[in-house]
């Protein structure tokens, strides 16, 4: 009986240690927000047209990070399209960055056809854009000012505040608000927001 009691005591101590390790383990943190102008090479889109980021002819450049199989990203396509149409009239340039390094080019082309996407798309299979801007989730949006400095990184709006429980309507349209502030020459009041969606695949090859 004494041995059994001792074993139970040791087991409880081990269990408490394991729980403490889990609770004290660092949680994933948002990547640092770049404070210097973004350095990106010319990007060739899926139609072979080259793009400079930020666009020298635009007041701001928006990059949407997506994958073809993320349900939340796909549900946001109509809103991405609306934002691109509305703010395109205000000299904002838009790019769609496909960030799954394991996709075939044909799959991306098919996705664009299926969802009627006209926003220029680039295949970021080496994560040049992902690393430069600190993207982690799809869908996620980034605004780069005409000075090349990142102004905003985060969600498109707050329709999703957690997985599986979307609001009927967003209460804050973060990307639109940030774009309005950038175009007005004002600092973005909330430059970083938490995106809900799918993790960007890690390159392991």
């Amino acid at each position: 009986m004494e041995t059994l009691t001792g074993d139970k005591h040791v087991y409880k101590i081990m269990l408490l240690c394991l729980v403490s390790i889990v609770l004290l383990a660092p949680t994933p943190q948002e990547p640092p927000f770049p404070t210097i102008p973004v350095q990106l090479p010319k990007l060739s889109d899926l139609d072979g047209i080259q793009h400079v980021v930020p666009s020298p002819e635009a007041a701001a450049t928006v990059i949407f990070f997506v994958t073809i199989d993320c349900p939340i990203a796909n549900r946001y396509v109509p809103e991405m399209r609306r934002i691109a149409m509305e703010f395109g009239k205000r000299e904002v340039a838009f790019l769609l960055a496909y960030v799954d390094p394991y996709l075939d080019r044909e799959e991306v082309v098919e996705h664009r056809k299926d969802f009627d996407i006209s926003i220029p798309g680039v295949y970021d299979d080496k994560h040049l854009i992902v690393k430069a801007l600190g993207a982690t989730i799809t869908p996620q949006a980034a605004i780069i000012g005409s000075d090349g400095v990142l102004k905003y990184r985060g969600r498109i709006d707050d329709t999703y505040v957690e997985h599986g429980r979307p609001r009927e309507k967003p209460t804050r349209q973060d990307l639109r608000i940030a774009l309005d502030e950038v175009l007005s020459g004002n600092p973005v009041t909330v430059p970083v927001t938490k995106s809900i969606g799918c993790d960007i695949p890690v390159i392991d090859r």
Side-chain angles (χ1 to χ4, degrees):
M1 290 295 293
E2 289 181 3
T3 303
L4 182 61
T5 303
D7 288 345
K8 285 183 177 179
H9 182 66
V10 171
Y11 174 76
K12 286 182 178 180
I13 292 175
M14 291 177 64
L15 186 61
L16 286 171
C17 288
L18 286 171
V19 170
S20 298
I21 291 172
V22 171
L23 291 176
L24 294 175
T27 55
Q29 295 183 352
E30 184 78 14
F33 195 86
T35 56
I36 60 175
V38 175
Q39 298 289 328
L40 282 173
K42 285 185 178 180
L43 304 171
S44 182
D45 68 23
L46 294 162
D47 295 318
I49 300 171
Q50 288 197 325
H51 298 265
V52 176
V53 177
S55 172
E57 301 164 359
T61 301
V62 173
I63 297 180
F64 292 115
F65 296 92
V66 299
T67 53
I68 68 171
D69 56 357
C70 179
I72 295 179
N74 286 337
R75 290 188 190 115
Y76 266 105
V77 168
E79 177 62 1
M80 293 180 199
R81 190 186 300 118
R82 286 190 291 267
I83 291 173
M85 288 182 64
E86 292 172 24
F87 284 90
K89 298 173 184 176
R90 298 172 64 183
E91 298 184 344
V92 177
F94 289 84
L95 285 176
L96 215 66
Y98 288 88
V99 295
D100 187 343
Y102 306 104
L103 286 177
D104 292 327
R105 187 184 183 89
E106 292 73 21
E107 292 179 287
V108 177
V109 172
E110 190 66 27
H111 177 264
R112 294 175 60 78
K113 188 183 299 181
D114 290 343
F115 285 86
D116 191 23
I117 299 172
S118 59
I119 301 170
V122 294
Y123 187 20
D124 191 24
D125 58 331
K126 295 182 180 178
H127 284 182
L128 296 178
I129 313 172
V130 167
K131 292 174 182 176
L133 301 180
T136 56
I137 298 290
T138 65
Q140 196 167 34
I143 302 173
I144 304 167
S146 58
D147 57 359
V149 177
L150 183 66
K151 307 296 184 182
Y152 173 80
R153 182 182 67 209
R155 65 194 182 190
I156 295 169
D157 60 36
D158 66 351
T159 297
Y160 288 87
V161 290
E162 59 181 292
H163 285 279
R165 298 187 64 181
R167 292 188 170 105
E168 288 188 14
K169 291 184 179 180
T171 62
R172 191 177 198 278
Q173 296 180 315
D174 302 270
L175 179 58
R176 290 172 180 268
I177 292 171
L179 277 170
D180 280 331
E181 291 172 336
V182 169
L183 294 176
S184 298
N186 297 316
V188 176
T189 51
V190 185
V192 180
T193 56
K194 181 181 178 181
S195 302
I196 300 295
C198 309
D199 292 338
I200 291 178
V202 176
I203 297 177
D204 59 5
R205 63 182 177 189

